[in-house]
Amino acid sequence: MSNFSVTNIGPMNSWREHFGGFVPETSRDGRRVVDHELDSEVIGFTATAYEPGEEAGYWHSHSTLEEVYVFLEGEGQMGLDDHVIDVGPGTVVHVGTGVMRTWRARPDSPTQLRWLCLRAGQIPLPAIPDDAVPIRDIPMPW
């Protein structure tokens, strides 16, 4: 048995159709907890789509996990402790442990605000490429 798993989250314009979350109180349209569909042990991953004007409606922080938000489409804002930053396509935000966070799609966003959030924190990441060695004598499969 190989140590990989595969799922398909579909094109970004279909993300809003998914209803999901971690607990019933924070489940909603447009949230997909992708790591629940995979055999991931130390990496969490969500795909989210908010309508213009929609917001999380709560703050949260993590004591162990770091998160990286990769914004792909739309215009929004993130609250990070005492700061508010604008986010949009290409914005990547790292949020460390203990930082309070929340987010919203701007009411005037021309499209849904769509982003990926990656969570990890079980062990420190290895320095790359120290974790892997390129093997160049195996033919490519294509």
Side-chain angles (χ1 to χ4, degrees):
M1 174 115 172
S2 295
N3 188 14
F4 67 86
S5 54
V6 177
T7 193
N8 186 332
I9 62 174
M12 285 192 300
N13 65 2
S14 72
W15 290 3
R16 184 67 186 176
E17 299 165 13
H18 191 84
F19 180 85
F22 299 97
V23 294
E25 299 83 48
T26 60
S27 293
R28 62 189 312 143
D29 290 330
R31 176 184 272 165
R32 188 168 192 161
V33 184
V34 180
D35 54 278
H36 289 179
E37 302 171 28
L38 299 170
D39 296 329
S40 180
E41 293 181 22
V42 297
I43 299 171
F45 171 38
T46 56
T48 305
Y50 274 17
E51 293 291 347
E54 189 174 5
E55 63 180 49
Y58 62 91
W59 288 83
H60 78 283
S61 69
H62 293 286
S63 60
T64 308
L65 299 175
E66 294 181 332
E67 292 180 321
V68 173
Y69 295 81
V70 181
F71 291 89
L72 304 170
E73 189 172 86
E75 296 176 6
Q77 294 178 302
M78 283 191 78
L80 299 162
D81 285 339
D82 295 333
H83 303 276
V84 174
I85 63 165
D86 293 324
V87 297
T91 305
V92 179
V93 180
H94 164 261
V95 186
T97 58
V99 175
M100 293 294 291
R101 66 207 75 181
T102 192
W103 48 86
R104 75 171 187 150
R106 295 182 61 89
D108 58 351
S109 178
T111 64
Q112 293 176 347
L113 180 65
R114 295 181 179 131
W115 73 93
L116 303 174
C117 177
L118 299 126
R119 304 176 312 283
Q122 296 289 328
I123 58 173
L125 294 175
I128 303 297
D130 295 343
D131 179 56
V133 176
I135 302 170
R136 302 192 190 284
D137 60 347
I138 299 174
M140 295 296 107
W142 33 81

